Amino acid sequence: MTDNSTSASELFGSNRMWGLKEIPLPDPVSYFPETVGWLFLVVLFGLFFCILIAIFLRRWRQKAYLRQAIRDLQEISDQQLNYSQIPLILRRTALQQYDRDEVASLRGRSFTDWLNNKLKQPVFDPQDSALLSALPYTLSEKSLTDIATLNGLVQKSIVWLKKHHV
């Protein structure tokens, strides 16, 4: 049992601890480089990452028309309206990326053949060629063929947009 009359030496150890001073700690280590070589490397890596970000953003902006065309085609498929816009979207996208003289004169089968030549594996068949040629000139797209065929044409167009090469 302890009583309230215990001495300081009993609570804190021996009397030898009294009067000792705390050891001074060294200054904290700085994470900032102190030599010119390390500063040069930090600046060099910073510039490298800035250039990478700039290249990524430039490519992302350059592909904005492709993302918009894919969104337009998916909206056509979802709403099952305006299928006549499919050939226009394909032609507009092709004109964005390829030479105008090369694309503008193509019609009908020659246009779908040209589209297929820009892929490793062709997507469009002769029926798609006839459908793409007739779509802009019809009042009711559904009178040409059924919805499943039109949605298949939309999906083929999306595949072309995603996989074509320049």
Side-chain angles (χ1 to χ4, degrees):
M1 208 173 193
T2 60
D3 58 355
N4 292 343
S5 64
T6 56
S7 67
S9 63
E10 292 173 352
L11 291 175
F12 297 109
S14 73
N15 285 334
R16 294 181 194 165
M17 298 293 287
W18 290 100
L20 290 179
K21 294 182 181 176
E22 192 173 321
I23 300 173
L25 296 174
D27 293 333
V29 177
S30 172
Y31 290 110
F32 192 75
E34 296 181 7
T35 62
V36 176
W38 285 111
L39 288 175
F40 176 74
L41 282 176
V42 167
V43 169
L44 189 67
F45 280 125
L47 286 174
F48 176 73
F49 286 122
C50 288
I51 289 170
L52 282 179
I53 290 170
I55 290 171
F56 171 77
L57 288 176
R58 189 173 126 221
R59 286 184 183 170
W60 185 75
R61 279 190 226 121
Q62 286 176 343
K63 302 281 185 180
Y65 71 95
L66 281 175
R67 290 189 303 275
Q68 183 62 43
I70 291 170
R71 276 194 300 269
D72 291 345
L73 287 171
Q74 286 172 341
E75 183 178 320
I76 287 170
S77 180
D78 292 343
Q79 294 179 355
Q80 297 184 352
L81 294 172
N82 297 328
Y83 287 102
S84 62
Q85 296 296 312
I86 297 170
L88 301 174
I89 292 170
L90 285 173
R91 188 168 297 277
R92 183 181 62 211
T93 306
L95 285 170
Q96 283 278 330
Q97 201 157 25
Y98 299 98
D99 187 30
R100 181 172 289 284
D101 295 333
E102 182 182 359
V103 178
S105 63
L106 299 172
R107 300 280 182 263
R109 180 73 188 259
S110 62
F111 181 61
T112 53
D113 288 343
W114 181 86
L115 290 173
N116 282 332
N117 286 336
K118 300 300 176 186
L119 293 173
K120 291 181 181 176
Q121 291 184 333
V123 193
F124 299 106
D125 52 25
Q127 293 84 12
D128 296 331
S129 175
L131 191 57
L132 282 172
S133 298
L135 272 175
Y137 305 107
T138 59
L139 295 175
S140 173
E141 303 95 356
K142 297 171 186 170
S143 66
L144 291 174
T145 186
D146 59 315
I147 297 294
T149 305
L150 290 170
N151 284 334
L153 185 62
V154 168
Q155 294 308 315
K156 289 177 182 182
S157 300
I158 290 173
V159 167
W160 185 84
L161 289 172
K162 289 181 177 179
K163 296 191 177 187
H164 73 281
H165 56 83
V166 181

